[in-house]
Amino acid sequence: MKKIVKMLMILLIVSLTAIKTYAQISIGISVRLAPPALPTYTQPPCPVDGYLWTPGYWAYNEDGGYYWVPGVWVAPPRHGYLWTPGYWGYDGAIYVYHEGYWGRHIGFYGGVNYGGGYIGTGYVGGRWSGNSFHYNTAVVNVNTTVVHNTYVNKTVINNVTVNNHTSFNGPGGVAAKPRPEEQAAAREQHVQPTNEQLTHRQVAGKDRSQFASVNNGRPATAAMNKVNGKRFNPEGHTARVSAANGANDNADRNQHKQADNNNDRTAAKQDGADKTGSHETANNTAEKPHHPNAGNAAGNRPNEGSNRQPAQNHHSNTNAARQHEQHAAPARQHENAKPEEHEKHR
């Protein structure tokens, strides 16, 4: 009798633990508004051997609504573990976010086709072989100069980029139910998102350019090669994001520094023009100021739905002040301006 009671107690404890674990990965934020469609973007190359791809997704902030968490390559918490992405599920009344997790097998992620190997069921972008992860280059993008464990399997669906489609499971979204192997994976031991992943989401939530209310479903930073690493826009080019909330502050500082250098070079050339008898007034009449052209470069163009960067206004005002000083100086008509002086200001 004692043995039976003891066995029942053990079974009860195991059941409660399983329920708690399932609740941790199944219950999340709930809202009444559907998440936007998944944006189209290019997967950046894997920067470090052993990193795994975690696709981008829409998270939710009560103050600003949905915001895009860029897809990113991350280090798994353990050898042999795979990432099951989180997903939004609709039960007919509210949208509930089901948190992603790490485990030995891929579980159910709503049937959502995130791309980059996550085609709606399982993962076809690579596999573990002992303590090494091998990448299927028919599906994922890797830097072969640093990643050498690769293979090619073209029999799986090649969906490196994410196509615009519904981003949630349930009525009005993706009609998918968990398969037996996905249900079994849900009952296995899991590891919650790593601290790097949580930090990655927090940073995205502080960047206003990532909010759907600002970018209309087209985030400025669609993906990153690693947490706190290089940012990429949907086309796969280096992203330039406003630093109004501290996002991508280094990129903005570099732009400011470059713009200041341009101003310094322009001022030096103008001083040289004074010494050789070429007058600034004639040059201003013949050409446009140099620095605003730099301010209109691709790196400084405002992203869709965002405001023009303050740096542009600052430098434009600086140029305006210089032009004002130039016009205030006594002007003398110069009939034969030197061609080489004109070229210096282009």
Side-chain angles (χ1 to χ4, degrees):
M1 184 66 180
K2 290 182 178 180
K3 290 183 178 180
I4 295 175
V5 173
K6 186 176 181 179
M7 288 296 296
L8 289 174
M9 289 295 294
I10 293 174
L11 290 173
L12 179 61
I13 292 172
V14 171
S15 299
L16 290 175
T17 302
I19 293 173
K20 182 178 179 181
T21 302
Y22 185 77
Q24 287 176 342
I25 64 174
S26 299
I27 299 176
I29 298 174
S30 60
V31 295
R32 296 187 179 278
L33 181 66
L38 297 175
T40 299
Y41 66 97
T42 300
Q43 182 188 56
C46 179
V48 179
D49 194 3
Y51 273 28
L52 271 64
W53 177 249
T54 58
Y57 61 95
W58 290 106
Y60 188 83
N61 183 306
E62 292 184 357
D63 295 329
Y66 286 103
Y67 62 94
W68 181 253
V69 180
V72 65
W73 292 94
V74 299
R78 301 175 188 174
H79 290 299
Y81 270 47
L82 300 168
W83 174 247
T84 296
Y87 71 96
W88 289 93
Y90 184 55
D91 65 0
I94 56 175
Y95 298 87
V96 178
Y97 184 71
H98 301 255
E99 184 67 88
Y101 58 88
W102 294 93
R104 292 285 180 183
H105 301 92
I106 301 290
F108 182 65
Y109 52 93
V112 178
N113 186 347
Y114 286 108
Y118 296 94
I119 59 176
T121 57
Y123 179 64
V124 297
R127 63 192 179 214
W128 283 98
S129 179
N131 290 333
S132 299
F133 190 80
H134 292 239
Y135 303 83
N136 182 7
T137 56
V139 176
V140 297
N141 186 12
V142 299
N143 184 348
T144 55
T145 62
V146 296
V147 175
H148 305 291
N149 297 319
T150 62
Y151 66 97
V152 177
N153 181 4
K154 296 182 179 180
T155 62
V156 299
I157 297 177
N158 184 5
N159 192 21
V160 175
T161 57
V162 181
N163 296 319
N164 284 333
H165 64 287
T166 305
S167 57
F168 63 91
N169 173 273
V174 180
K177 301 293 183 182
R179 299 185 303 176
E181 57 267 34
E182 292 172 329
Q183 291 177 331
R187 293 189 292 268
E188 294 177 344
Q189 182 181 6
H190 302 132
V191 174
Q192 299 305 304
T194 63
N195 290 333
E196 270 199 332
Q197 289 176 284
L198 296 178
T199 299
H200 183 63
R201 178 162 60 193
Q202 291 169 359
V203 170
K206 295 178 181 178
D207 185 351
R208 301 305 299 176
S209 66
Q210 295 299 104
F211 281 77
S213 59
V214 174
N215 59 48
N216 295 319
R218 185 178 173 80
T221 299
M224 297 176 66
N225 64 340
K226 58 183 177 180
V227 176
N228 295 324
K230 188 175 181 179
R231 295 168 174 263
F232 296 89
N233 64 16
E235 290 74 28
H237 304 302
T238 301
R240 300 290 186 182
V241 186
S242 172
N245 291 283
N248 207 10
D249 195 38
N250 289 333
D252 263 358
R253 281 198 295 267
N254 291 337
Q255 291 176 20
H256 279 263
K257 183 177 181 180
Q258 182 63 40
D260 289 337
N261 289 339
N262 289 340
N263 274 342
D264 292 340
R265 285 194 294 269
T266 300
K269 291 178 180 179
Q270 289 173 346
D271 290 340
D274 282 339
K275 293 178 181 179
T276 56
S278 178
H279 296 283
E280 295 167 330
T281 304
N283 287 334
N284 287 335
T285 305
E287 58 184 299
K288 296 182 181 297
H290 172 76
H291 190 67
N293 291 338
N296 288 332
N300 275 343
R301 282 199 300 266
N303 295 301
E304 181 178 355
S306 63
N307 295 326
R308 183 175 297 276
Q309 295 184 7
Q312 293 176 324
N313 295 332
H314 167 74
H315 293 299
S316 295
N317 291 339
T318 302
N319 283 334
R322 285 180 177 154
Q323 292 172 12
H324 178 73
E325 293 175 0
Q326 293 167 358
H327 285 288
R332 185 172 57 191
Q333 185 67 28
H334 203 292
E335 297 179 356
N336 297 315
K338 294 182 180 179
E340 61 271 20
E341 295 299 332
H342 180 77
E343 290 295 327
K344 287 181 181 179
H345 290 274
R346 288 187 177 179

